[in-house]
Amino acid sequence: GMTKVNTKEELPQAYEEAVKYNDDVLIEEFIDGIFMTVGVLEKDGKNFATEILEIIPKNEWYDYEAKYTPGMSKFILPAELDEELTKKTKEVAIKAHIAAGCRGVSRVDFMVGKDGIPYVIEINTSPGMTSTSDLPAQSKVMGISYDELVQIVLNGAGLNK
């Protein structure tokens, strides 16, 4: 039910499409920029961010087709960002995780606008854990094996107490 609206005249049709899926409709400003995602994990009571994954869709934006059709997006891991933006994005991911009351694990999605600001667009509190999912790939780049990642997630959920 997601639609990118380019003119105010397109808004009513986009709204009608969205309410086919849910009565609650979110309308947000489109931010033209770099789409990124960051995992947030908890180990020994401390939150930390994974490497940043940059996603470049072949479509105009990262829609359902770009996300779930092989070859419709390019993935850069770790994202090719300068040190300052990398640090800032990871800090914002952890702050968003905490502010939303998340525990153990989340994945925070961003758009980095042309102004260089990382804008949080959503927090996934149950990120995928398949062989093609973002969080396992981000963790692997950090030297965290899949089994270690599962243990971190379980411990973050309090199953080690």
Side-chain angles (χ1 to χ4, degrees):
M2 290 179 62
T3 305
K4 180 176 179 276
V5 173
N6 295 306
T7 67
K8 65 181 179 180
E9 291 78 21
E10 295 173 343
L11 189 56
Q13 183 179 350
Y15 176 81
E16 291 303 320
E17 179 64 20
V19 295
K20 290 178 185 176
Y21 299 91
N22 194 311
D23 290 337
D24 296 324
V25 175
L26 173 66
I27 299 173
E28 60 188 359
E29 178 182 355
F30 179 78
I31 301 168
D32 188 18
I34 303 168
F35 180 71
M36 300 183 306
T37 186
V38 183
V40 178
L41 299 168
E42 183 182 319
K43 188 170 185 180
D44 301 324
K46 295 182 182 178
N47 293 308
F48 67 96
T50 65
E51 288 296 337
I52 300 170
L53 171 63
E54 179 181 347
I55 302 171
I56 303 171
K58 291 191 178 174
N59 290 346
E60 183 179 9
W61 58 298
Y62 195 53
D63 61 2
Y64 186 88
E65 180 185 28
K67 185 171 185 171
Y68 293 107
T69 304
M72 288 300 295
S73 293
K74 178 181 176 183
F75 300 96
I76 302 172
L77 182 62
E80 296 171 350
L81 307 171
D82 66 46
E83 188 176 328
E84 183 180 333
L85 183 55
T86 297
K87 181 180 177 187
K88 183 176 185 178
T89 303
K90 287 181 177 185
E91 287 172 356
V92 171
I94 292 170
K95 287 178 182 178
H97 173 91
I98 293 167
C102 298
R103 293 288 319 266
V105 63
S106 71
R107 199 195 69 243
V108 184
D109 295 346
F110 291 89
M111 284 300 294
V112 176
K114 295 189 185 302
D115 55 8
I117 297 172
Y119 295 92
V120 174
I121 57 173
E122 72 176 340
I123 301 174
N124 184 329
T125 58
S126 185
M129 292 290 288
T130 69
S131 60
T132 59
S133 296
D134 299 340
L135 186 64
Q138 292 165 305
S139 299
K140 184 177 181 180
V141 168
M142 298 175 67
I144 299 172
S145 73
Y146 185 82
D147 289 349
E148 290 171 304
L149 174 60
V150 170
Q151 192 65 55
I152 289 169
V153 171
L154 293 174
N155 289 349
L159 296 179
N160 61 336
K161 296 178 180 158

